[in-house]
C-alpha cells in the first residue's frame, strides 16, 4: 500500500486528513503523469458523490488540474462506474471520482482512472505519490500560465449517457419486476429511478434524498435492515442496495434475507455458464470469499481463481487470464464484457434480468450456494500500528493456535483494511459458537497489543 493511495485511491477525513492542498497536488501530479505522453491539450473528467465535502475537494482538484494546463470537465454527481465508462467514451485522458465509497460522511476520497477507463496500476500511483511527496518542485516547474492555463466545462449529459449504456447490457425489459432500491443517499440517487424505471420495473426508492451529511447513514449496502423490512412490507420480489458511490451492490430476497456478493457471483456464474458467456468457465474471487462458494464451484464445474482483497486486484487477474466475471463478498462485482470496474447498478440490472428471464424467486436462485458461518470483527488501530502489527509474535501465535484447532474444517484470515484504520478478523467454520469465541480472542489480543489510542 502506498503513502497516499490505499487499495481504492486516496482516502481520509475530508479537509483535515485529505486536505484541499493534497487534493490540489493530486490534481496537478495526476494531470502531469497521466498526460505526459499526449501531444494535445489534455482533458480530465471529474465526478463526485453527495458528501458535503465533495464540492470543496472538486474545486481543489479542478484548480490543480487546470493549473498544469489540462482542461477539467465536471460531471456532477454520478456513480464511480459512470466516470470509468465516460472517460473512455468521451476520449478523455483521465478521470477522477471524489468519493469515500461506503465510509461515513466525514471521510472522502479520490479515485483515479486512466484514459482506458481502468483504475491506475500500483506503479502509476507510486509515480504520482513520488511527485507529490518527494519532488514537489517538479510540479511547480510544470505549472502553466497565460493562455496555457486549462479551462473548466460541465458535462450535463453524463448521467443519461451512463444510464442508456447500462440499459443496453440486457436483452429484456423489466416489466412485472417489483424491486426496492436503497440508494444510500449517495450517487445512485441521481440515476437509479431513471435507470430501473426506464427498463420498466416497478420501483420503490428508499434513502434517495441526499443532504450532504446522510450518505451511508444507517442505509445502503452496509446496513440492510431497513431495506429488508421494506421489501417484506411492500411485498417486493427483491431489494437491492448500493453504497455511497454505487460501485457495489448487495441484495435481499423476497423474504428479506440477505444475498451477499458471494451468492450474487454464484448466481451470475451459473447463469453465464449456462449461456456460454463465462469465459474459461471461471470466476475470479478473493481470499475473503466464503468457503461455501468453493463447494458451489466444485459442484457446478466452475473454476475459481483467488486473489487478494480489492476490486483492482480482481480486475488485474481478470485481465491477465481473460476472464469475464469477478467480484467480492462486499458486492464489488465486475462484468468485464460491459465494464472496467465494479458497478452496483449494472450488477442489479443483470440480477433483475435473470429473475425476469427465469421467473424464479431470488431465494431459490441464492439457494444454489450454502454459506458457511462466518464471523467478522473489525479492530480499530492507531496509525503507528499499520503493517507493524503483523510482526507481533503474540498475535501470530494466537492465530496459529486457533487455525490448528479448526484444521481443514475452517479458516482464519486476519488482514489490514485498505481503506480504513482497521484490522479485520475473519473466521469461517461449521459451528458459529466455536468460531465466534476464536474471533473474540484474536480481536482482544490485537486490541491489547495494538491499542487504538495514540
Amino acid at each position: 500500500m502506498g503513502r497516499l493511495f490505499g487499495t481504492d485511491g486516496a482516502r481520509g477525513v475530508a479537509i483535515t486528513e485529505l486536505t484541499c492542498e493534497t487534493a490540489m497536488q493530486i490534481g496537478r501530479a495526476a494531470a502531469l503523469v497521466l498526460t505526459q505522453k499526449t501531444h494535445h491539450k489534455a482533458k480530465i473528467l471529474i465526478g463526485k458523490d453527495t458528501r458535503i465535502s465533495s464540492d470543496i475537494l472538486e474545486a481543489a482538484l479542478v484548480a490543480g488540474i487546470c493549473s498544469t494546463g489540462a482542461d477539467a470537465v465536471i460531471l456532477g454527481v454520478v456513480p464511480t462506474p459512470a466516470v470509468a465508462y465516460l472517460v473512455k467514451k468521451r476520449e478523455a485522458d483521465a478521470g477522477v471520482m471524489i468519493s469515500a465509497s461506503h465510509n461515513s460522511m466525514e471521510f472522502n476520497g479520490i479515485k483515479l482512472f486512466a484514459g482506458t477507463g481502468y483504475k491506475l496500476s500500483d506503479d502509476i500511483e507510486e509515480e504520482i505519490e513520488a511527485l507529490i511527496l518527494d519532488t514537489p518542485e517538479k510540479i511547480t516547474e510544470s505549472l502553466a500560465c497565460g493562455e496555457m492555463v486549462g479551462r473548466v466545462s460541465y458535462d450535463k449529459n453524463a448521467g443519461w449517457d451512463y444510464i442508456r449504456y447500462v440499459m443496453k447490457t440486457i436483452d429484456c425489459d423489466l416489466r412485472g419486476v417489483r424491486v426496492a432500491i436503497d440508494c444510500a443517499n449517495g450517487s445512485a440517487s441521481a440515476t437509479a429511478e431513471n435507470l430501473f424505471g426506464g427498463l420498466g420495473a416497478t420501483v420503490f426508492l428508499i434513502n434517495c434524498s441526499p443532504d450532504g451529511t446522510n450518505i451511508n447513514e444507517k442505509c445502503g449496502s452496509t446496513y440492510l435492515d431497513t431495506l429488508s423490512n421494506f421489501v417484506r412490507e411492500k411485498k417486493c420480489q427483491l431489494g437491492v442496495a448500493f453504497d455511497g458511490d454505487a460501485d457495489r451492490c448487495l441484495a435481499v430476497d423476497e423474504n428479506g434475507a440477505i444475498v451477499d456478493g458471494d451468492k450474487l457471483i454464484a448466481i451470475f456464474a451459473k447463469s453465464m455458464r449456462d449461456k456460454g458467456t463465462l469465459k474459461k468457465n471461471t470466476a475470479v474471487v478473493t481470499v475473503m470469499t466464503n468457503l461455501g462458494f468453493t463447494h458451489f464451484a466444485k459442484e457446478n464445474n466452475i473454476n475459481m481463481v483467488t486473489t487478494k482483497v480489492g476490486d483492482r486486484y480482481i480486475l488485474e487477474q481478470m485481465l491477465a487470464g481473460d476472464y469475464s466475471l469477478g467480484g467480492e463478498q462486499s458486492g464489488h462485482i465486475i462484468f468485464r464484457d460491459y465494464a472496467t470496474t465494479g458497478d452496483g447498478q449494472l450488477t442489479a440490472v443483470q440480477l433483475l434480468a435473470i429473475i425476469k428471464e427465469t421467473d424464479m424467486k431470488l431465494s431459490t436462485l441464492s439457494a444454489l450456494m450454502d454459506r458457511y458461518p462466518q464471523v467478522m470483527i473489525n479492530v480499530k488501530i492507531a496509525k503507528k500500528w499499520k503493517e507493524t502489527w503483523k510482526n507481533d509474535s503474540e498475535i501470530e501465535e494466537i492465530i496459529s493456535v486457533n487455525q490448528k484447532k479448526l484444521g481443514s474444517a475452517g479458516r482464519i484470515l486476519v488482514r489490514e483494511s485498505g481503506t480504513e484504520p482497521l484490522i479485520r478478523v475473519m473466521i469461517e467454520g461449521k459451528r458459529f459458537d466455536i468460531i465466534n469465541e476464536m474471533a473474540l480472542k484474536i480481536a482482544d489480543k490485537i486490541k491489547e497489543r495494538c491499542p487504538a489510542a495514540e
Side-chain angles (χ1 to χ4, degrees):
M1 208 185 310
R3 294 170 287 170
L4 279 178
F5 297 100
T7 56
D8 200 15
R11 195 171 295 190
V13 176
I15 313 306
T16 59
E17 292 181 355
L18 182 58
T19 66
C20 294
E21 292 79 7
T22 299
M24 181 180 289
Q25 286 293 79
I26 289 175
R28 286 173 170 170
L32 292 173
V33 170
L34 295 174
T35 64
Q36 58 188 338
K37 294 181 181 179
T38 62
H39 300 289
H40 59 269
K41 194 169 182 63
K43 178 171 66 175
I44 298 178
L45 309 187
I46 304 175
K48 62 185 174 184
D49 70 15
T50 58
R51 294 164 209 271
I52 193 171
S53 61
S54 290
D55 290 347
I56 306 169
L57 295 175
E58 177 188 68
L61 276 162
V62 168
I65 290 167
C66 292
S67 68
T68 67
D71 290 339
V73 181
I74 297 177
L75 306 179
V77 173
V78 292
T80 288
V83 176
Y85 166 68
L86 290 167
V87 73
K88 189 173 182 181
K89 179 179 175 59
R90 298 287 194 264
E91 297 183 339
D93 298 281
V96 184
M97 179 66 184
I98 305 167
S99 176
S101 190
H102 62 285
N103 293 149
S104 52
M105 61 81 71
E106 69 271 20
F107 290 90
N108 217 324
I110 297 173
K111 305 179 185 183
L112 301 173
F113 293 88
T116 57
Y118 291 107
K119 289 181 181 177
L120 302 186
S121 66
D122 289 344
D123 290 344
I124 295 178
E125 285 193 344
E126 287 169 7
E127 187 177 351
I128 293 170
E129 286 182 346
L131 201 56
I132 296 170
L133 301 176
D134 302 330
T135 56
E137 67 278 2
K138 290 185 179 180
I139 298 177
T140 303
E141 293 167 0
S142 301
L143 295 181
C145 64
E147 64 182 14
M148 299 304 295
V149 170
R151 297 178 183 270
V152 182
S153 61
Y154 298 83
D155 188 337
K156 296 181 180 179
N157 296 315
W160 273 111
D161 281 357
Y162 165 72
I163 288 168
R164 282 190 283 266
Y165 175 73
V166 176
M167 283 181 170
K168 292 176 183 176
T169 64
I170 59 173
D171 297 325
C172 63
D173 63 48
L174 300 178
R175 289 175 189 156
V177 179
R178 190 176 172 91
V179 59
I181 300 174
D182 187 339
C183 296
N185 291 314
S187 292
S189 302
T191 53
E193 184 172 16
N194 290 328
L195 171 57
F196 295 94
L199 284 167
T202 300
V203 176
F204 297 86
L205 296 174
I206 63 173
N207 300 310
C208 195
S209 301
D211 63 8
T213 64
N214 60 1
I215 187 170
N216 297 320
E217 184 179 6
K218 292 186 176 180
C219 61
S221 61
T222 57
Y223 188 90
L224 294 169
D225 290 354
T226 302
L227 178 63
S228 180
N229 293 332
F230 187 90
V231 165
R232 290 194 297 267
E233 178 187 336
K234 296 295 183 180
K235 294 181 170 53
C236 295
Q237 288 167 264
L238 74 159
V240 294
F242 309 118
D243 60 339
D245 65 337
D247 66 351
R248 66 172 72 181
C249 171
L250 294 181
V252 299
D253 67 20
E254 72 280 3
N255 302 311
I258 294 173
V259 181
D260 68 7
D262 291 341
K263 287 204 166 194
L264 290 175
I265 296 166
I267 292 170
F268 295 131
K270 186 173 185 301
S271 175
M272 292 170 69
R273 185 206 65 184
D274 293 346
K275 292 177 180 178
T277 59
L278 187 64
K279 288 184 178 178
K280 299 184 179 179
N281 208 32
T282 297
V284 180
V285 294
T286 79
V287 293
M288 292 290 285
T289 297
N290 193 273
L291 278 173
F293 187 90
T294 303
H295 294 292
F296 153 79
K298 289 179 180 177
E299 291 166 1
N300 288 274
N301 296 315
I302 291 171
N303 303 316
M304 187 175 81
V305 173
T306 303
T307 185
K308 58 184 176 180
V309 174
D311 61 333
R312 66 159 57 201
Y313 304 115
I314 295 168
L315 181 60
E316 285 177 3
Q317 188 64 57
M318 292 174 72
L319 291 170
D322 190 28
Y323 305 125
S324 54
L325 176 68
E328 53 188 343
Q329 192 178 87
S330 62
H332 278 125
I333 299 176
I334 301 173
F335 295 87
R336 198 166 68 85
D337 291 336
Y338 304 121
T340 57
T341 188
D343 188 334
Q345 289 176 106
L346 172 62
T347 297
V349 165
Q350 298 299 315
L351 178 64
L352 293 175
I354 291 173
I355 288 172
K356 176 69 182 288
E357 291 168 351
T358 63
D359 195 28
M360 294 174 66
K361 294 179 179 179
L362 182 53
S363 60
T364 303
L365 289 169
S366 65
L368 55 83
M369 178 192 135
D370 291 324
R371 193 175 187 280
Y372 269 50
Q374 185 181 82
V375 175
M376 173 85 79
I377 299 178
N378 292 326
V379 183
K380 191 171 183 179
I381 59 170
K383 286 185 178 179
K384 67 180 180 180
W385 301 117
K386 287 177 71 66
E387 296 296 328
T388 61
W389 64 273
K390 298 176 183 177
N391 302 319
D392 187 282
S393 60
E394 293 190 28
I395 294 175
E396 287 180 344
E397 183 180 6
I398 195 170
I399 294 171
S400 175
V401 166
N402 284 282
Q403 181 61 73
K404 287 177 181 177
K405 289 180 181 177
L406 278 175
S408 60
R411 64 177 181 137
I412 299 174
L413 181 64
V414 182
R415 55 176 284 271
E416 194 172 300
S417 169
T419 58
E420 301 172 82
L422 301 172
I423 294 174
R424 304 192 193 280
V425 179
M426 189 277 285
I427 306 185
E428 289 175 340
K430 293 182 178 179
R431 286 184 52 182
F432 176 82
D433 56 338
I434 293 175
I435 64 173
N436 188 56
E437 183 179 356
M438 288 180 174
L440 289 169
K441 286 180 179 177
I442 293 172
D444 286 343
K445 178 58 70 173
I446 294 171
K447 290 174 185 176
E448 172 195 323
R449 303 293 297 173
C450 304
E454 294 283 2

